[in-house]
Amino acid sequence: MEIVIDNLVAKKGTKVSGYVAVPKTELKMPVTIINGQSAGKTVLITGGVHNAEYTGIETAIRLAQEMTPETVAGCLIIIHPVNISGFENRTMSVVAEDGKNLNRIFPGDRDGTTGDKLAAFLTEVFFKKADRFIDLHAGDGYESLTPYVYYVGAAKEEVVSEAEAMAAAVLVPYRVKSYLATSGAYNYAGSMGIPGILIERGGEARWSEDEIKKYQEDVKNVLRYLKVLDEPMQSPACKQLEVVDAVYEEAEITGCWYPNKKAGEPFLKGENLGMIKDYFGKVLQTCIAKYDGIVLYQVSSLTILKKSPMIAYGKIKNDGHHTNEKYKK
Ligand SMILES: [Zn+2]
C-alpha cells in the first residue's frame, strides 16, 4: 500500500525522507517513511515532542537513516523531531512560538496557536495512518530519570493489553500504566484505538553513543514483538517490573532544590526525598515519601520552579518476589 503524507509519497518497498509542512504555520518537520516490501503494521515513531530530550530525537534520526524497506514488514513513519521550532530555538521542551508544552495539548486545534496546530496535524494525519505508536522521550534538560516506559491505560481493554505487551518488550527495568486519555500524544492516540507507549531514557540535555544504541534496541525489540522486524526478540537483562501508584510532586515555591536520592534509587516510607531551600539555606519545602518506592525522575537543576515538577516516584507492584524489604536496615 502506498503511504502519502503531504509531498512525501512512499510506494511499497521504498523509503522517502523530507520536510512536511504543518498547515497554516511556518513549521516544516523532518519525516521519513519506510514502506516495507511485505505487509504488516504501520508504526508511528516520534522523537522530540519535547525538543530538549535529545536521546529520543537522536534515536529517531538514527532509525530513520538505518532502517530499510527490505527488512521492514509493514511501514515505519518516523518524525525526527516533532517540535522543530523548539529544537532550533533550544527552548526547554516548549513550542517556540507559543510557549506551550506539546504533550499537554492533544488532540490540538487546527485554528489555535502554532503548538495547537502541530498537535492537530499529528492527530488528523499521522495518528489516522498508525496501527501502533512509539513516542521517544527522555528527562527534560533539567531532569534526571531511570529508564522506564509508560503505556496507555485509559483506553479500550484490547488497546491497553496490547500497549502493555509493547511496553514489556522495551528493554528497561520498569513500566508504568498511564491513566490519561487526552493531552499527551500517545494518550490521545490510545483513545483513538491505537496502542501506544512512551519511552523515557536519558535526560539532562545530554546524549551518548551508548545510550542511543540502547534506545535503538528498545525500539527494535518492540518492532520485533510487532513482527515488523523478523528477528528473535531480545530478553531483558533483568525482569521488567510494574510500577504503580505513581506520585508526581510539584514544587510549591521557587527556590533551590536539594534531592537526597538518585533517579532509580529505592527508599522507604517517611524518608526525606529532597528539600527546597531559599538562598539563605532556610528550608521552604520538604518532600517526604508516602510509601516504600523508587524514584522515577526528579529535577536535577539547582533551580526549581513553583508549580512545576519536582519528583516522581512509584511503588513496585508486589508480585511476591520484589519488595523494598532488602533495603530496610
Ligand atoms: Zn518528554
Side-chain angles (χ1 to χ4, degrees):
M1 202 178 70
E2 190 176 83
I3 301 277
V4 182
I5 296 173
D6 190 40
N7 59 326
L8 298 182
V9 181
K11 291 195 166 58
K12 201 168 149 59
T14 67
K15 171 172 171 174
V16 294
S17 287
Y19 288 98
V20 167
V22 180
K24 297 192 283 179
T25 72
E26 302 288 306
L27 303 178
K28 284 184 162 61
M29 290 188 301
V31 173
T32 298
I33 307 172
I34 301 153
N35 197 350
Q37 272 170 353
S38 47
K41 294 182 175 70
T42 296
V43 182
L44 174 64
I45 300 172
T46 51
V49 165
H50 288 146
N51 59 273
E53 298 176 0
Y54 297 129
T55 47
I57 295 170
E58 181 57 16
T59 299
I61 288 172
R62 296 287 177 93
L63 289 168
Q65 284 172 15
E66 291 170 15
M67 302 293 277
T68 62
E70 291 75 28
T71 56
V72 168
C75 185
L76 301 179
I77 302 173
I78 308 174
I79 312 178
H80 47 97
V82 175
N83 180 3
I84 186 73
S85 67
F87 188 84
E88 293 185 354
N89 286 282
R90 208 158 56 193
T91 67
M92 276 296 176
S93 288
V94 293
V95 175
E97 288 80 356
D98 57 19
K100 286 187 179 174
N101 180 338
L102 196 54
N103 221 32
R104 303 284 180 274
I105 57 174
F106 277 83
D109 176 0
R110 64 168 95 161
D111 299 313
T113 63
T114 301
D116 297 327
K117 286 173 185 161
L118 179 52
F121 185 49
L122 256 71
T123 303
E124 289 164 18
V125 175
F126 289 85
F127 293 174
K128 282 196 178 151
K129 289 187 165 50
D131 300 314
R132 300 289 184 274
F133 182 20
I134 306 173
D135 195 14
L136 309 181
H137 286 244
D140 207 329
Y142 47 85
E143 282 170 354
S144 68
L145 55 75
T146 188
Y148 68 103
V149 56
Y150 287 108
Y151 64 96
V152 161
K156 285 190 194 131
E157 210 180 301
E158 65 265 28
V159 173
V160 175
S161 64
E162 171 69 352
E164 185 172 15
M166 288 166 69
V170 181
L171 302 164
V172 293
Y174 307 109
R175 70 173 176 278
V176 183
K177 187 176 191 170
S178 169
Y179 292 92
L180 297 173
T182 184
S183 79
Y186 79 111
N187 305 97
Y188 190 76
S191 70
M192 289 170 71
I194 305 158
I197 56 173
L198 184 157
I199 307 177
E200 300 274 19
R201 183 185 279 285
E204 298 178 305
R206 295 163 205 255
W207 66 276
S208 68
E209 284 299 328
D210 180 51
E211 278 179 307
I212 303 306
K213 274 203 190 83
K214 285 181 181 154
Y215 215 150
Q216 279 185 282
E217 275 306 304
D218 290 337
V219 178
K220 284 182 180 173
N221 218 37
V222 179
L223 298 177
R224 291 172 192 133
Y225 162 73
L226 295 171
K227 310 247 184 282
V228 171
L229 284 180
D230 181 20
E231 297 168 4
M233 276 181 78
Q234 244 192 57
S235 38
C238 55
K239 186 178 175 275
Q240 192 185 70
L241 302 173
E242 174 119 32
V243 170
V244 295
D245 298 337
V247 169
Y248 300 89
E249 293 254 32
E250 288 195 337
E252 290 161 6
I253 192 158
T254 294
C256 303
W257 164 243
Y258 301 92
N260 286 329
K261 300 285 169 184
K262 291 191 171 65
E265 200 177 330
F267 54 79
L268 300 175
K269 182 178 176 177
E271 273 198 81
N272 180 345
L273 301 181
M275 283 176 289
I276 301 175
K277 297 180 184 176
D278 69 10
Y279 305 112
F280 307 97
K282 186 182 160 205
V283 176
L284 305 173
Q285 187 182 343
T286 306
C287 178
I288 302 297
K290 293 181 167 60
Y291 49 67
D292 295 3
I294 59 133
V295 177
L296 290 170
Y297 66 82
Q298 64 185 357
V299 166
S300 57
S301 63
L302 182 60
T303 305
I304 196 157
L305 301 177
K306 186 178 176 176
K307 288 191 174 163
S308 76
M310 179 166 71
I311 187 168
Y313 60 89
K315 194 189 276 181
I316 291 168
K317 192 173 174 181
N318 192 346
D319 61 3
H321 302 286
H322 304 277
T323 68
N324 272 18
E325 208 56 45
K326 63 184 170 189
Y327 306 112
K328 287 182 181 165
K329 290 191 182 90

